[in-house]
């Protein structure tokens, strides 16, 4: 089991103390940096009323990327299974001839 680590993550000018597995630290720090970069981009490019709106847009963007990856992986899985079935059919045909 990984060692627990107490860290502080800053997002949108707020600090969040967290206790995490040592193996999670790098990913969390990287994610918080990406969120802050995205916040700056939204604030520069859109009329934003408050941080809540910006954070909601960041959440939507991250969630949509995750969902799209799952959709793409599911499609790839179906295509892969179709290819395997065709190969199996060809092998059956070859072996039975």
């Amino acid at each position: 089991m990984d060692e627990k680590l107490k860290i502080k993550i800053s997002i949108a000018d707020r600090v969040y103390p967290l206790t995490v597995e040592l193996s999670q630290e790098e990913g969390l720090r990287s994610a918080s940096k990406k969120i802050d970069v995205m916040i700056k981009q939204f604030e520069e490019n859109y009329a934003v009323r408050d941080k809540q709106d910006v954070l909601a847009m960041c959440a939507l963007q991250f969630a949509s990327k995750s969902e799209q990856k799952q959709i793409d992986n599911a499609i790839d899985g179906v295509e892969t299974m179709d290819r395997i079935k065709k190969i199996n059919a060809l092998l059956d045909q070859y072996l039975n001839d």
Side-chain angles (χ1 to χ4, degrees):
M1 186 158 117
D2 282 341
E3 181 181 328
K4 295 284 186 177
L5 184 65
K6 292 186 179 194
I7 63 172
K8 292 182 180 180
I9 297 290
S10 175
I11 299 173
D13 301 323
R14 284 194 176 179
V15 176
Y16 299 91
L18 301 171
T19 302
V20 301
E21 301 289 332
L22 184 61
S23 62
Q24 295 177 311
E25 180 188 12
E26 184 178 353
L28 287 167
R29 292 193 187 280
S30 176
S32 73
K33 287 178 186 175
K34 286 180 181 180
I35 291 168
D36 280 335
V37 166
M38 196 178 293
I39 287 170
K40 287 178 186 171
Q41 289 174 342
F42 279 123
E43 287 176 335
E44 289 172 1
N45 295 321
Y46 302 100
V48 179
R49 290 191 303 258
D50 61 22
K51 291 283 187 193
Q52 179 77 25
D53 293 335
V54 176
L55 289 170
M57 293 305 296
C58 288
L60 178 62
Q61 189 157 359
F62 278 111
S64 68
K65 285 181 184 179
S66 175
E67 289 298 317
Q68 190 61 49
K69 279 185 182 179
Q70 288 180 348
I71 290 167
D72 292 345
N73 288 340
I75 290 169
D76 288 345
V78 170
E79 290 174 4
T80 301
M81 289 305 295
D82 286 344
R83 288 184 192 150
I84 290 171
K85 287 176 186 175
K86 287 178 184 176
I87 291 170
N88 280 338
L90 289 172
L91 285 172
D92 286 343
Q93 203 174 29
Y94 177 77
L95 293 173
N96 292 326
D97 285 344

